[in-house]
């Protein structure tokens, strides 16, 4: 997967990590890049100025020591506020600004932000124009993530894509579902293909890309310039190198060594604790640990144990001990789809939290 240029920004490959609220913080983005992601966008940052100094926003906007292009996703409903938010984040190091018009969460859409903006095309266009007007003189490209539409009866990604391109948006990511679907059902790729045909700027396909072979199929179906992977990277951040390798060579990589996963997760936890501190770090790390061990032998027992731990050193040690025991059972993780069978086989072989 060769590089991709977005204005003055050159992304090293075309397999990207999707912005996910509560997930794609600095430690997770760093890990995804280490494991092959050519681009990683921050979790969305509010355009509300009164919240910029909040602890939550300051953590989301933390890019200290982050390798690669610093890309910040902003969310809001007011064009002037979104433009101000773009300028604010550029001043703090953002090299690329992404506009959120894809989030389906009720708490976002109820405020007419995220994918709700696709219902108000004039407002959506005004926001794109205002953000571009602020970013262009600073040499910062603007990208935008959206869905196929608000509902099946209101699929307007193609006409909006044309208008966004004329407004100066330099890359579009399209999730192959309407907001109405949320994450239910299966993503469809015909609309993404139609967007690709409608514009000259790069188009990124997103939605249900869960394996290297699915990635190749999505590229073939859409003609997209790049792929964005979200939920499939939770607990499996090496999916980026797996996809990139398969698309480059046609060969599937072996699953990672258990020893490597132990090293990666323990380093991830250290970075996570350093960002969030003791109490919040321990609590928010639980979901990441659960994703890593999902369907692995003894994984459910570890998850239950982890949920009772309130100290980072105890949590870290429990994870380390679990993976050391797992190394005695298997050299590599099972392939996707084989994990349940492996867990069942090993359930009586002494792999416990």
């Amino acid at each position: 997967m060769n590089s991709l240029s977005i204005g003055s920004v050159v992304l090293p490959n075309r397999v990207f990590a999707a912005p996910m609220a509560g997930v794609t913080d600095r430690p997770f983005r760093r890990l995804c890049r280490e494991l092959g992601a050519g681009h990683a966008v921050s979790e969305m940052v509010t355009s509300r100025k009164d919240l910029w100094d909040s602890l939550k926003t300051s953590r989301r906007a933390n890019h200290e020591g982050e390798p690669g292009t610093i890309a910040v996703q902003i969310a809001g409903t007011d064009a002037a506020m979104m433009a101000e938010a773009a300028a604010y984040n550029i001043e703090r190091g953002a090299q690329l600004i992404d506009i959120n018009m894809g989030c389906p969460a009720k708490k976002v859409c109820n405020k007419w932000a995220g994918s709700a903006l696709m219902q108000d095309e004039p407002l959506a266009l005004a926001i794109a124009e205002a953000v571009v007007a602020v970013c262009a003189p600073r040499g910062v490209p603007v990208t935008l993530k959206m869905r196929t539409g608000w509902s099946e009866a209101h699929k307007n990604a193609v006409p909006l894509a044309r208008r966004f391109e004329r407004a100066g948006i330099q890359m579009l990511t399209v999730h192959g579902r309407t907001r109405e679907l949320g994450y239910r059902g299966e993503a469809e790729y015909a609309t993404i293909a139609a967007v690709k045909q409608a514009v000259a700027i790069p188009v990124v396909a997103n939605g249900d890309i869960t394996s290297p072979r699915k990635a190749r199929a999505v590229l073939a179906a859409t003609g997209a310039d790049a792929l964005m992977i979200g939920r499939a990277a939770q607990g499996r951040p090496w999916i980026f190198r797996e996809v990139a390798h398969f698309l480059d060579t046609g060969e599937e990589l072996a699953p990672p060594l258990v020893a490597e996963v132990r090293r990666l997760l323990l380093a991830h936890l250290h970075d996570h604790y350093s960002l969030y501190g003791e109490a919040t770090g321990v609590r928010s790390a639980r979901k990441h640990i659960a994703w890593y061990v999902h369907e692995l032998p003894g994984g459910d027992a570890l998850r239950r144990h982890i949920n009772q731990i309130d100290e980072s050193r105890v949590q870290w040690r429990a994870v380390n001990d679990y993976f050391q025991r797992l190394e005695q059972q298997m050299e590599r993780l099972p392939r996707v789809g084989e994990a349940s069978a492996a867990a069942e086989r090993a359930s009586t072989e002494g792999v416990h939290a």
Side-chain angles (χ1 to χ4, degrees), residues 212-286:
R213 291 185 182 276
K214 183 64 176 289
R216 184 171 66 181
V218 171
L219 281 178
T222 62
D225 301 279
L227 300 169
M228 184 170 278
I229 299 172
R231 290 172 295 159
Q234 294 174 355
R236 191 182 155 208
W238 47 87
I239 191 173
F240 300 103
R241 73 181 181 195
E242 291 177 338
V243 167
H245 181 82
F246 183 75
L247 293 176
D248 282 340
T249 68
E251 301 173 352
E252 292 193 47
L253 288 174
L257 294 166
V258 174
E260 182 192 17
V261 175
R262 179 169 69 92
R263 176 186 63 80
L264 291 169
L265 177 50
L266 293 177
H268 184 189
L269 290 176
H270 270 310
D271 202 7
H272 192 88
Y273 302 146
S274 71
L275 177 63
Y276 291 99
E278 179 74 11
T280 301
V282 170
R283 290 195 303 272
S284 58
R286 290 169 182 165

Side-chain angles (χ1 to χ4, degrees), residues 14 24 46 59 65 77 100-101 104 160 170 172 178 189 195 226 235 244 255 266 291 293 302 306 321 333 341:
R14 302 181 182 219
T24 48
T46 181
R59 283 172 174 159
T77 60
N100 183 323
M101 293 193 190
L160 267 176
Q170 296 190 52
L172 287 166
T178 63
Y189 304 111
V195 169
L266 293 177
W291 289 329
V293 303
L302 176 68
I306 287 296
D321 292 348
L333 291 193

Side-chain angles (χ1 to χ4, degrees), residues 9 50 69 72 80 103 131 146 163 183 185 216 322 342 349:
V9 171
D50 60 309
T69 301
V72 176
C103 180
V131 173
M146 63 179 178
R163 298 177 77 179
Y183 295 103
R216 184 171 66 181
Y322 167 82
E349 297 179 8

Side-chain angles (χ1 to χ4, degrees), residues 261-329:
V261 175
R262 179 169 69 92
R263 176 186 63 80
L264 291 169
L265 177 50
L266 293 177
H268 184 189
L269 290 176
H270 270 310
D271 202 7
H272 192 88
Y273 302 146
S274 71
L275 177 63
Y276 291 99
E278 179 74 11
T280 301
V282 170
R283 290 195 303 272
S284 58
R286 290 169 182 165
K287 62 178 178 288
H288 289 282
I289 297 168
W291 289 329
Y292 274 89
V293 303
H294 179 61
E295 294 190 342
L296 289 179
D300 285 344
L302 176 68
R303 178 181 54 78
R304 290 192 296 270
H305 179 52
I306 287 296
N307 288 343
Q308 305 303 314
I309 295 173
D310 294 319
E311 296 180 60
S312 62
R313 62 179 182 82
V314 179
Q315 185 182 70
W316 190 94
R317 188 170 62 245
V319 171
N320 180 58
D321 292 348
Y322 167 82
F323 277 96
Q324 284 185 330
R325 290 192 295 270
L326 190 62
E327 286 179 60
Q328 304 305 311
Q329 302 294 318

